[in-house]
Amino acid sequence: MILVLFGPPGAGKGTQADELKDKLNLIHLSTGDILREEVSKETELGILAKKFMDAGELVTDELIIGMIKNKIVSNDTDKGFLLDGFPRTISQAKALDEMLKSNSLQVNHVVSLEVNDSILIERLLSRGRSDDNEETIKNRLDVYKNQTLPIKEYYKSSGTLIEIKGDDSVETVSKNIFSSLK
Ligand code: AMP
């Protein structure tokens, strides 16, 4: 199964991925986590990505698509993927479809976590990550609305979109996601 966890920064994608990956036997791929690891190791990719991340901007599609493609194509297990933080642009969504198609796979479900802005800002400010300061948060929410939100329509038209209320407790949200997949 290929499951995409979709939603704005602070919606709880990472938290829900941790709840779901074992239950569903999926490999968790978080582009944010992979990028943070590259930054901490000071790799070429990490150095390129850091300036975008610090500003709350998206890392270029080319870098992201290359990075994800490696992971998906080199999967030699029969596990599917739980994608978290990817795709974030229409180009990434189309590239994902292409790379899956070449492995005879497709996106099966896109779970969109719905949380309003005031709760998102509250959550992000309390998280204390280096890109979670007030100015960067505002930019990330704008970037989300302008560049990422259009993907929802893309998946709605393919019939894979499931909208889940994301401001309940972690357990309730995870239970609701799980039962929506059955
Ligand atoms: P996240 O942990 O998902 O909030 O990602 C942290 C930062 O990494 C984002 O603000 C972006 O700068 C970058 N990033 C993560 N995933 C992507 C992606 N799919 N496309 C572009 N940039 C990304």
Side-chain angles (χ1 to χ4, degrees):
M1 187 206 313
I2 308 293
L3 173 63
V4 174
L5 269 180
F6 184 82
K13 299 187 295 294
T15 307
Q16 289 305 325
D18 283 339
E19 298 281 316
L20 292 166
K21 64 181 181 208
D22 295 330
K23 276 193 197 161
L24 297 170
N25 196 30
L26 298 174
I27 300 169
H28 178 201
L29 275 190
S30 155
T31 41
D33 286 350
I34 300 169
L35 289 169
R36 278 184 288 279
E37 200 181 321
E38 299 282 338
V39 171
S40 76
K41 288 192 200 150
E42 297 183 4
T43 63
E44 197 178 331
L45 170 61
I47 291 162
L48 282 169
K50 189 177 186 310
K51 59 177 189 293
F52 295 105
M53 297 168 78
D54 286 345
E57 296 289 337
L58 294 183
V59 176
T60 60
D61 285 336
E62 199 188 351
L63 288 178
I64 297 287
I65 291 164
M67 182 176 102
I68 280 286
K69 201 170 182 174
N70 272 337
K71 309 262 178 196
I72 290 186
V73 172
S74 67
N75 178 25
D76 55 7
T77 71
D78 55 6
K79 284 189 176 188
F81 287 100
L82 177 50
L83 299 173
D84 152 15
F86 174 87
R88 255 185 164 91
T89 62
I90 293 277
S91 312
Q92 291 180 19
K94 290 185 173 160
L96 174 64
D97 284 347
E98 285 304 309
M99 62 182 100
L100 291 174
K101 205 153 83 185
S102 61
N103 283 5
S104 306
L105 296 168
Q106 63 183 51
V107 172
N108 301 103
H109 306 284
V110 178
V111 170
S112 172
L113 296 174
E114 308 291 323
V115 181
N116 71 40
D117 279 7
S118 59
I119 295 179
L120 294 175
I121 293 168
E122 208 176 287
R123 284 186 184 174
L124 291 167
L125 283 173
S126 68
R127 199 162 69 170
R129 222 167 66 187
S130 67
D131 58 347
D132 281 340
N133 59 69
E134 227 167 306
E135 196 183 328
T136 313
I137 288 172
K138 192 183 164 302
N139 196 34
R140 276 156 65 211
L141 291 175
D142 284 346
V143 165
Y144 173 76
K145 282 175 194 147
N146 296 328
Q147 300 187 54
T148 305
L149 208 49
I151 300 182
K152 240 173 109 167
E153 289 305 317
Y154 180 79
Y155 286 124
K156 210 179 254 176
S157 61
S158 71
T160 48
L161 189 76
I162 305 167
E163 291 177 283
I164 299 281
K165 196 166 162 285
D167 55 4
D168 290 319
S169 70
V170 172
E171 296 72 27
T172 304
V173 174
S174 130
K175 220 184 295 164
N176 288 341
I177 295 176
F178 202 65
S179 51
S180 77
L181 297 174
K182 282 185 189 147

